[in-house]
Amino acid sequence: MNAAIYDCPKEWARFLPAGVQAIRQAGELTEHIWPLLALTAEGCRALTEKEIVCRLLLAPGDLPALPAQVRAETVISYGLSPRDSLTLSSLTEPVLCVQRALPRPDGSFVDPQEFPLPSLPGPAEALLPLLGLRLLQMPLTKPSFLW
């Protein structure tokens, strides 16, 4: 697997990019080093004590600290704070905002920019981990957010 999301809501499964595995059991996270791992806020709270290793970690920016058992080369925070690397610049007509260059698992980068979002299958702020995965996994030559 190229990427995983831990504690992914079941209704998101059909929107996951190819190569992204929805992980339900924390023990599955320790099976290998993930090129890209996304943690939902609920997933952060449900982590076990076993060490989890990844190259890129997409994590909620409002965590007081990264969970101690998670080791990542690079952390990309998402949330509604201007400190977060991935945020929304508008909630009424959702616009995904990349605040700083974001590394992708393939070694390329997503430059700071804004992506107007199409109609979404839920509130944009709740979908930030899914939007981040799509942005970091989808080929940059085609629209990243077509559902």
Side-chain angles (χ1 to χ4, degrees), residues 2 6 19 35-36 60 63 86 94 96-97 110 118 127 134-135 138 140:
N2 297 329
Y6 179 53
L36 173 61
L63 294 175
L86 196 59
L96 185 67
C97 181
V110 178
L127 292 170
R134 292 182 69 84
L135 179 67
M138 300 297 280
L140 294 176

Side-chain angles (χ1 to χ4, degrees), residues 66-139:
L66 192 60
Q69 64 273 39
V70 179
R71 304 278 182 254
E73 291 176 23
T74 304
V75 178
I76 299 169
S77 65
Y78 65 82
L80 298 180
S81 167
R83 293 184 325 261
D84 293 316
S85 298
L86 196 59
T87 188
L88 297 166
S89 61
S90 171
L91 292 176
T92 54
E93 293 182 27
V95 175
L96 185 67
C97 181
V98 177
Q99 301 278 69
R100 56 198 57 81
L102 302 179
R104 293 168 38 99
D106 66 6
S108 65
F109 286 83
V110 178
D111 292 324
Q113 60 189 295
E114 292 190 340
F115 295 92
L117 297 170
S119 178
L120 297 172
E125 58 273 19
L127 292 170
L128 276 169
L130 177 60
L131 294 170
L133 276 174
R134 292 182 69 84
L135 179 67
L136 296 172
Q137 283 290 101
M138 300 297 280

